Amino acid sequence: MSTEEAKYLAINPNHPNAGIYTPAVVFGNVVYLSAKTSWIAPEPDDIRAATAYLLDQVEKELLNAGSSMHKVLKVIVYLRDMNDYTAMNEVYTGRFGKNAPARTTIESKLPKNSIVGFDVTAYL
């Protein structure tokens, strides 16, 4: 049995979901981010703008946890409409450094009419 404990990183108390979930959990040398969805993006209905905003939010969470975009191992991309795949990829490409992480992309119904979401796992 491991004696390591998970580190739960605090959420901004002004965030609309404060208290419902933890934005990032670190266990050992792995960082698990809570999924980010586009309903909070400044332009939530524009796939390119929403994707860029969410990737910026992912990067902030990773840096806060002591990681970075270059240390991302796996991304699950959720799209409300698979027709947005090409536009999302245009913004996504290159954001993780020269070695892109493993990735799964699925079409999914997302909360609050979001059009895109990211679920990210990285290392420290």
Side-chain angles (χ1 to χ4, degrees), residues 68-87:
S68 73
M69 296 292 268
H70 298 277
K71 295 181 177 181
V72 172
L73 300 169
K74 170 80 177 186
V75 178
I76 301 173
V77 179
Y78 301 94
L79 292 172
R80 181 173 69 192
D81 184 345
M82 200 55 85
N83 289 319
D84 288 334
Y85 184 82
T86 300

Side-chain angles (χ1 to χ4, degrees), residues 20-95:
I20 297 172
Y21 66 90
T22 301
V25 176
V26 176
F27 187 77
N29 67 342
V30 180
V31 179
Y32 303 92
L33 297 187
S34 291
K36 307 282 181 228
T37 57
S38 62
W39 69 273
I40 60 170
E43 298 177 65
D45 296 321
D46 178 299
I47 189 63
R48 287 177 178 85
T51 298
Y53 176 81
L54 290 182
L55 289 170
D56 290 345
Q57 297 306 304
V58 164
E59 185 169 24
K60 287 177 186 175
E61 293 289 352
L62 289 170
L63 292 172
N64 185 51
S67 187
S68 73
M69 296 292 268
H70 298 277
K71 295 181 177 181
V72 172
L73 300 169
K74 170 80 177 186
V75 178
I76 301 173
V77 179
Y78 301 94
L79 292 172
R80 181 173 69 192
D81 184 345
M82 200 55 85
N83 289 319
D84 288 334
Y85 184 82
T86 300
M88 180 277 301
N89 266 334
E90 289 171 5
V91 177
Y92 180 98
T93 301
R95 288 295 301 262

Side-chain angles (χ1 to χ4, degrees), residues 2-3 10-11 18 41-43 46 71 80 82 93 95-96 104-107:
S2 174
T3 59
I11 193 165
E43 298 177 65
D46 178 299
K71 295 181 177 181
R80 181 173 69 192
M82 200 55 85
T93 301
R95 288 295 301 262
F96 298 92
T104 301
T105 303
I106 60 173
E107 188 173 69

